[in-house]
Amino acid sequence: MGWIIALVVGLVVIIGIYGALTYNKLVGQRNRVDNAWAQVEVQLQRRYDLIPNLVETVKGYASHERETFERVTEARAAAGAARGPAEQAQADSFLTSALRQLFAVAEAYPELRASSNFASLQGDLTDTENKIAVSRQIYNDTVYSYNTSIQRIPTNIVASLTGFSPRETYDASDLADTAPDVSF
């Protein structure tokens, strides 16, 4: 009878240790997902910070394109207010479209294209768009790893008992998959 009690206690201890280790692993993965999303937001904020300078530079050469400037400004505000990957992807699609329209306007002004300030902003925006793409990929890879962990047996038992739920990936629309064309 004593060995049965020892066996049960041993199993409970092993299950408890496994549960604690699994929980800690899931906490680490969830924190990596949160960190990866924060990195996406940092790059998006960098983009939002560049847009007013870009708009002002283009305004100096094409002040009559008011509708285009308003659209870019509205898109920037909507993207800045978006929360979560799905909402952010939709807002980014609208912003990308508005930026394409702004660059189409800029193409009609050779003096603007020759401006060193405009060229510098173009380069900064291109660099930022590349960083955003990398950040999104890292975020999606991290979410994939986390979601896979909480769905696999037996980790899914610990995950469901302790409130871990799947995270959504950043699924950009076809329009947002490509950076705005900033080359002239």
Side-chain angles (χ1 to χ4, degrees):
M1 182 72 155
W3 68 271
I4 294 177
I5 293 174
L7 179 65
V8 170
V9 169
L11 283 174
V12 168
V13 167
I14 290 172
I15 291 171
I17 290 171
Y18 173 79
L21 292 173
T22 301
Y23 177 82
N24 288 339
K25 175 185 169 193
L26 292 173
V27 168
Q29 287 182 319
R30 182 181 60 198
N31 290 344
R32 281 191 292 280
V33 168
D34 292 341
N35 181 57
W37 181 249
Q39 296 307 313
V40 170
E41 288 180 327
V42 164
Q43 296 307 323
L44 291 171
Q45 186 60 49
R46 184 171 181 231
R47 177 210 272 164
Y48 306 149
D49 292 345
L50 285 170
I51 290 171
N53 294 333
L54 188 62
V55 169
E56 287 303 314
T57 301
V58 176
K59 265 186 189 178
Y61 291 88
S63 59
H64 61 281
E65 299 285 350
R66 191 174 139 221
E67 183 180 317
T68 301
F69 303 136
E70 287 174 358
R71 186 164 188 250
V72 171
T73 302
E74 288 170 9
R76 177 185 177 266
R83 297 290 171 245
E87 199 175 308
Q88 191 67 57
Q90 184 178 8
D92 283 349
S93 177
F94 182 51
L95 180 58
T96 299
S97 174
L99 286 173
R100 285 189 176 151
Q101 188 177 7
L102 180 69
F103 283 112
V105 166
E107 284 187 35
Y109 298 90
E111 312 86 38
L112 172 60
R113 291 188 315 230
S115 162
S116 62
N117 188 32
F118 185 70
S120 175
L121 289 169
Q122 280 181 304
D124 289 347
L125 185 60
T126 299
D127 182 50
T128 299
E129 292 294 337
N130 290 335
K131 288 178 181 180
I132 290 170
V134 169
S135 294
R136 287 175 183 156
Q137 180 63 47
I138 292 169
Y139 171 76
N140 281 343
D141 289 347
T142 306
V143 168
Y144 172 79
S145 177
Y146 169 77
N147 286 346
T148 300
S149 289
I150 65 171
Q151 294 169 355
R152 285 188 174 157
I153 296 174
T155 306
N156 66 340
I157 296 167
V158 174
S160 65
L161 290 173
T162 55
F164 288 89
S165 57
R167 296 290 183 94
E168 61 183 318
T169 57
Y170 187 104
D171 295 322
S173 70
D174 292 338
L175 181 61
D177 281 340
T178 54
D181 183 14
V182 295
S183 60
F184 292 98

